[in-house]
Amino acid sequence: MVILLIKLKTILLIIMSNNVTRQDLYDLTYKELGISKNECIKFVDLVFESILKNFEEGNKVKVSLFGSFDVKDKKARIGRNPKTKEEKEISSRRVVTFKPSKFLSKKINK
Amino acid sequence: MSKKTFVKSDIVKDLQGHFQKIPNNNVEHIIESIFKYLSNALSEGRNIEIRGLGTFKVKKMPARNARNPKTGETIQIEEKNKVKWKSSKLLNYRINKDKKIEE
């Protein structure tokens, strides 16, 4: 019962929040390209897949007018759990950073 | 490891082989409209959530005082919006395959 309520809540949140998801992009390609729905799904997924593949290879990805992604190496460091104040080593890892383009920064500050 | 920069035209090249029916110009155009759509959504205050890639959110940064470190002069920085990016767990896993990471 409780699980059901939580599920309902998340579904409601998804509908109300109006987030952009892959689904919106499928619809957009469908409208613009006029190819079958399955092809549109394949198209959008391949766009992101080709970006993800480059992250795996450690490449920088630049999308003009949107922003650039960079893969950075982080050294291991000691972190603290803010709640319990317990110290623990955070292992070295790779992270992806995003920097919005000037165009995008201007756009959201209108 | 030398870093390569991957740009939009490389995405177009990547997709070409899979969609021979669609002319090149159209492929480029639709990729442009995808990202145009994403930036429009952000400017309308909508969040973006792409499974497998990550999320983009617009966050309002309050006005603050800052100091020019060279001259020590205090300046006022106006309130502004910032894009917050968080990579998805799946992406973090994929780029760290060769490392063991404890969550």
Side-chain angles (χ1 to χ4, degrees), chain A residues 56-79:
Chain A
E56 277 180 306
E57 287 164 20
N59 291 340
K60 231 176 160 172
V61 177
K62 244 184 193 165
V63 183
S64 59
L65 299 183
F66 189 68
S68 59
F69 299 91
D70 200 358
V71 182
K72 287 200 167 128
D73 278 311
K74 291 271 183 193
K75 279 185 203 148
R77 63 187 168 91
I78 289 181

Side-chain angles (χ1 to χ4, degrees), chain A residues 20 22 60 62 107 109, chain B residues 6 40 47 49 51 81:
Chain A
V20 178
R22 279 184 196 236
K60 231 176 160 172
K62 244 184 193 165
K107 203 164 184 173
N109 278 300
Chain B
F6 188 73
N40 279 338
N47 296 332
E49 189 185 333
R51 289 279 150 91
N81 291 325

Side-chain angles (χ1 to χ4, degrees), chain B residues 25-47:
Chain B
N25 288 345
N26 282 6
V27 174
E28 195 172 348
H29 174 78
I30 193 75
I31 291 171
E32 261 165 30
S33 33
I34 284 173
F35 286 103
K36 214 182 268 169
Y37 181 84
L38 292 180
S39 49
N40 279 338
L42 281 177
S43 71
E44 285 162 14
R46 291 170 76 190
N47 296 332

Side-chain angles (χ1 to χ4, degrees), chain A residues 7-49:
Chain A
K7 267 193 180 162
L8 255 171
K9 208 178 153 194
T10 46
I11 290 168
L12 260 173
L13 266 173
I14 289 165
I15 296 168
M16 276 161 44
S17 60
N18 205 13
N19 278 358
V20 178
T21 59
R22 279 184 196 236
Q23 189 59 52
D24 295 279
L25 300 175
Y26 299 152
D27 295 344
L28 177 83
T29 23
Y30 183 63
K31 244 194 281 166
E32 296 221 1
L33 269 178
I35 49 175
S36 73
K37 278 237 158 104
N38 277 334
E39 292 265 282
C40 290
I41 291 171
K42 199 176 145 200
F43 188 95
V44 175
D45 287 351
L46 274 171
V47 170
F48 291 116
E49 190 51 42

Side-chain angles (χ1 to χ4, degrees), chain A residues 82-98:
Chain A
K83 238 182 216 160
T84 61
K85 288 185 179 152
E86 197 185 332
E87 282 191 9
K88 204 176 172 193
E89 173 161 291
I90 298 172
S91 50
S92 70
R93 63 188 65 209
R94 227 167 267 144
V95 295
V96 174
T97 59
F98 173 70

